[in-house]
Amino acid sequence: MDVDLDYEAFRAVMGSFASGVAVVTTRTPAGEPYGLTCSSVCSVSADPPLLLACIRTPSRTLDVLRESGVFAVNFLDAHGREISRRFAGPVQDKFDGVPWRPGTARGVPVLDRVLAHAECSIQQLIDAGDHVVVIGLLVGGDVDRSRSPLGYWRGSYMQVYRMDQPGSIRVEVPEIVEPHGVGDAEMVVELGFGLERIGL
């Protein structure tokens, strides 16, 4: 199959789609936690409740996830940039100094101070190029509505602010992206520093 789009062009195109940032976690049968940063997460179905996460191969976290059959998706809040970097890099013990607890549904690691988390059991694994698409059935989770999300767009972190709520403000930073419609709301983003080595 001929591919006319080179790697950098592909990254530029796909990087134009703003996303949240999550940490996918799992555990060994002995309870040892594993995790990685992932920005390729989305819902698949409401009935049954399914989501997917795309994980680059090879990955020790993916190996453990396959073995355990369970995982959690931890959606990072606006203060989660350092956690994102930690789980994206080649850190020996990524959980060292990171508060977490076993999830109530499957015992998978749930990070503290996240926007939301979803506990899942694996429904399907699909090989797709240099990634594996992990489809999970939600069996538990929780939401903290007091927090705002960490985002990622065109190689940089961003903070997202809803404009349809009292008290929303436009933050002055070197570059501000003009609001664009997001469903019934709008958002303004504050650019941060680039995300490193997603999917390790």
Side-chain angles (χ1 to χ4, degrees), residues 26-180:
T26 188
R27 56 168 173 74
T28 66
E32 183 181 2
Y34 279 80
L36 52 77
T37 300
C38 181
S39 60
S40 299
V41 177
C42 70
S43 61
V44 174
S45 166
D47 184 18
L50 300 174
L51 61 69
L52 67 78
C54 297
I55 299 177
R56 189 172 66 192
T57 58
S59 165
R60 175 57 180 155
T61 296
L62 179 60
D63 294 341
V64 174
L65 190 153
R66 288 180 189 270
E67 182 181 9
S68 70
V70 293
F71 65 99
V73 179
N74 300 266
F75 298 95
L76 299 184
D77 76 354
H79 302 288
R81 187 165 60 188
E82 292 308 316
I83 291 178
S84 171
R85 284 190 176 133
R86 183 176 186 83
F87 280 86
V91 179
Q92 185 67 29
D93 184 0
K94 296 180 180 180
F95 287 84
D96 183 29
V98 178
W100 64 277
R101 64 190 186 279
T104 58
R106 290 292 186 269
V108 288
V110 173
L111 305 184
D112 288 356
R113 301 189 61 197
V114 293
L115 185 73
H117 77 273
E119 296 177 60
C120 304
S121 60
I122 294 177
Q123 293 297 289
Q124 191 174 0
L125 297 172
I126 303 170
D127 292 326
D130 57 3
H131 281 62
V132 170
V133 181
V134 181
I135 298 178
L137 173 70
L138 274 70
V139 295
D142 198 9
V143 175
D144 185 343
R145 299 187 185 279
S146 70
R147 300 181 183 276
S148 59
L150 179 67
Y152 194 67
W153 180 74
R154 289 185 176 173
S156 293
Y157 291 101
M158 60 186 183
Q159 294 184 13
V160 182
Y161 302 88
R162 292 194 59 165
M163 300 299 292
D164 61 346
Q165 295 179 347
S168 296
I169 59 172
R170 185 185 297 269
V171 179
E172 295 298 329
V173 292
E175 181 181 0
I176 291 290
V177 180
E178 290 302 315
H180 295 282

Side-chain angles (χ1 to χ4, degrees), residues 2-14:
D2 294 333
V3 178
D4 295 327
L5 196 67
D6 64 27
Y7 178 73
E8 291 304 321
F10 173 78
R11 284 175 55 89
V13 169
M14 297 309 300

